[in-house]
Amino acid sequence: MNKPHAHLLRALPRLTLLSAALWLAACSFVPTYERPAAPVATSFPAEAATGSASTAPAAFDIAWQDFFKDARLKRLIELSLQNNRDLRVAVLNIEQARAQYQVRRADELPTVNAGINGTRGPATSGAVTSTYTAGFSVTAYELDFFGRVRALSQSAQAQLLGSEEARKTVQISLIASVASTYLNLLADDELLRVTRETLTTRQESLRLTQLKFDNEAASKLDLSQAQSLLEGAKAALAQTTRQRAQDENALVLLLGQPMPSDLPAGLAITAQGMLPDLPAGVPSELLTRRPDIRQAEQQLLANNANIGAARAAFFPRITLTGSAGVVSNDLDTLFNNGTAAWTFVPQLLLPIFDYGRNQANLESAKVGRDIAVAQYEKAIQTGFREVADALAGRATLGEQLRAQNAQLAAEQTRMDLTDLRYKHGASNAFDVLDAQRSLFAAQQAAVQVQLLRVQNLVTLYKVLGGGWK
């Protein structure tokens, strides 16, 4: 046999061993990920999809500073993004997940330590001897042939990405909550104005009815009716005052600080100027536009990687422990005349009988993935329902507000005519009081429907994924 062939034959075992090591190093037991099919319809309900063909930009692409026009509201949102504790916790959760990911990443590389140690004890001759060692060491570094450590690192990375999506979800919800609560305050102020005007009107009606009753021109029934309406207005004023105080307290909690005194002037609830024609798109776009759905998918990916780590636990675990340095019997000469020393301790552990621990861990990881799949699908279904509800509101609240305002105008006309007839003796006091009651109810309803309409626009912006940019 010639020399080249002899060298080749001698090298074959080493090449085979190297190839096997490279193959094992690339081995992974993490299941191939396939995104579950969205368990919703391919389009939103047709009767609720009014405006879906709009050419307006998608909510996902509209910054909240551009969606909201009220300068006062914008300032409140800015303060909440700076001080809200829920958002602060979400940001800190990202930092914690990033640190945990770095820990998992560090497990993929050996940890090198430097140290000095000494031992003192009797020698075989009976004399007491000392030994000092200094150098570098690697302790129990795992050769990740079967991808266990890499799978755990992939799981930690997915959890990190999921925590980032969670922060976006918190920000979206926070912005929508601040806007909705602020709109509640505007509606409270409008209701307080209407209630105070009604209270003034009813006080005057009671005064006139009392005067007529004293002169036997009105009955006890008329007087009782006027008193009842006045007390009803007082009760409504107390209720609305309490509600406004509670809404302001809720806003302060969202802001994370006391209400500032230097806020810019705001707009009326009827002049908020939000975009009414946000396109809904198709349900499949929610998978990329809504961070809560992306968070659920990252959790699914993390659980999927955990299966790979659990599968790898069935195979041998190879660890290396070694050290290199100098050794001497005299601490003073350790670094000058010490003798070079090294140790190399490979270890292979093969699980043989563990009372089913590894199998149970694998089954737990598989169930965890199945749970994550169900949670991911539920997130999609929840997102679909929220968008469909908001679209249904957009399709109907505009007409409801138009009808409510028309009813209010009719009640106002009725009140004016009834009062005019009463002053000329063509109507009785009961007709006036009934007209007052109906007008007040119509005024309250108009404010409430206006509030629902603008809050629905905020909700639609939120559920379509707007507000985190």
Side-chain angles (χ1 to χ4, degrees), residues 72-154:
R72 192 181 188 91
L73 174 56
K74 289 183 181 182
R75 179 58 182 154
L76 291 173
I77 292 176
E78 289 176 356
L79 292 173
S80 69
L81 294 178
Q82 295 170 8
N83 302 302
N84 182 266
R85 298 312 189 268
D86 289 334
L87 185 59
R88 188 172 298 176
V89 169
V91 173
L92 293 174
N93 284 337
I94 295 177
E95 298 305 317
Q96 185 179 49
R98 180 175 289 112
Q100 292 170 346
Y101 172 57
Q102 291 299 329
V103 171
R104 290 300 184 185
R105 288 278 295 173
D107 289 340
E108 298 183 30
L109 299 172
T111 299
V112 180
N113 301 303
I116 301 176
N117 60 71
T119 60
R120 185 174 177 81
T124 55
S125 62
V128 177
T129 62
S130 300
T131 303
Y132 300 95
T133 304
F136 300 96
S137 65
V138 174
T139 304
Y141 167 59
E142 181 175 349
L143 298 178
D144 195 26
F145 286 153
F146 301 99
R148 188 188 73 86
V149 178
R150 288 196 307 279
L152 293 175
S153 179
Q154 290 174 15

Side-chain angles (χ1 to χ4, degrees), residues 72 76 79 185 247-249 251-252 255 257-263:
R72 192 181 188 91
L76 291 173
L79 292 173
L185 281 177
D247 287 338
E248 184 169 344
N249 293 338
L251 184 57
V252 168
L255 295 182
Q257 67 165 62
M259 187 73 70
S261 58
D262 58 346
L263 293 173

Side-chain angles (χ1 to χ4, degrees), residues 211-292:
L211 182 62
K212 288 187 176 184
F213 178 77
D214 294 340
N215 291 278
E216 298 182 352
S219 66
K220 182 68 174 179
L221 177 62
D222 294 336
L223 181 61
S224 298
Q225 183 75 7
Q227 291 173 334
S228 175
L229 289 180
L230 176 61
E231 296 304 322
K234 290 180 178 179
L237 179 62
Q239 178 182 357
T240 305
T241 302
R242 180 180 67 253
Q243 185 61 53
R244 192 196 185 286
Q246 292 174 344
D247 287 338
E248 184 169 344
N249 293 338
L251 184 57
V252 168
L253 178 61
L254 293 171
L255 295 182
Q257 67 165 62
M259 187 73 70
S261 58
D262 58 346
L263 293 173
L267 300 174
I269 194 172
T270 56
Q272 288 298 306
M274 302 174 197
L275 296 175
D277 57 347
L278 292 174
V282 294
S284 60
E285 294 175 341
L286 292 180
L287 304 184
T288 58
R289 290 182 174 179
R290 284 185 52 132
D292 59 330

Side-chain angles (χ1 to χ4, degrees), residues 415-465:
M415 178 66 224
D416 294 340
L417 294 176
T418 302
D419 185 60
L420 182 62
R421 287 169 56 85
Y422 176 70
K423 290 178 179 178
H424 290 80
S427 294
N428 56 38
F430 179 80
D431 293 335
V432 175
L433 295 176
D434 183 64
Q436 288 180 352
R437 183 193 311 108
S438 298
L439 176 61
F440 183 45
Q443 289 173 326
Q444 290 177 308
V447 174
Q448 293 293 346
V449 175
Q450 179 64 42
L451 173 63
L452 289 175
R453 183 172 180 271
V454 291
Q455 284 185 331
N456 184 76
L457 295 178
V458 173
T459 299
L460 183 60
Y461 178 64
K462 168 191 171 184
V463 298
L464 290 176

Side-chain angles (χ1 to χ4, degrees), residues 241-433:
T241 302
R242 180 180 67 253
Q243 185 61 53
R244 192 196 185 286
Q246 292 174 344
D247 287 338
E248 184 169 344
N249 293 338
L251 184 57
V252 168
L253 178 61
L254 293 171
L255 295 182
Q257 67 165 62
M259 187 73 70
S261 58
D262 58 346
L263 293 173
L267 300 174
I269 194 172
T270 56
Q272 288 298 306
M274 302 174 197
L275 296 175
D277 57 347
L278 292 174
V282 294
S284 60
E285 294 175 341
L286 292 180
L287 304 184
T288 58
R289 290 182 174 179
R290 284 185 52 132
D292 59 330
I293 297 178
R294 296 201 300 270
Q295 177 190 359
E297 185 172 20
Q298 290 299 331
Q299 187 59 49
L300 173 56
L301 287 167
N303 282 274
N304 195 60
N306 287 336
I307 293 178
R311 286 175 173 174
F314 285 89
F315 292 85
R317 184 176 301 181
I318 302 173
T319 60
L320 298 178
T321 299
S323 64
V326 292
V327 60
S328 174
N329 293 328
D330 189 348
L331 183 60
D332 293 337
T333 62
L334 177 61
F335 295 101
N336 297 327
N337 298 315
T339 304
W342 60 272
T343 61
F344 180 69
V345 185
Q347 184 181 44
L348 185 147
L349 295 176
L350 176 64
I352 297 178
F353 186 65
D354 61 357
Y355 294 93
R357 180 182 290 105
N358 284 338
Q359 184 62 39
N361 285 334
L362 178 58
E363 293 301 322
S364 175
K366 289 181 178 179
V367 173
R369 179 192 58 185
D370 293 341
I371 292 174
V373 169
Q375 291 172 334
Y376 174 67
E377 293 174 341
K378 177 64 179 298
I380 296 175
Q381 292 174 336
T382 301
F384 181 90
R385 184 264 173 93
E386 289 175 348
V387 174
D389 285 351
L391 290 174
R394 183 173 68 179
T396 57
L397 282 170
E399 173 58 23
Q400 182 179 353
L401 179 61
R402 185 207 62 77
Q404 192 65 57
N405 286 334
Q407 182 186 19
L408 174 59
E411 290 294 344
Q412 184 65 59
T413 301
R414 175 193 172 195
M415 178 66 224
D416 294 340
L417 294 176
T418 302
D419 185 60
L420 182 62
R421 287 169 56 85
Y422 176 70
K423 290 178 179 178
H424 290 80
S427 294
N428 56 38
F430 179 80
D431 293 335
V432 175
L433 295 176

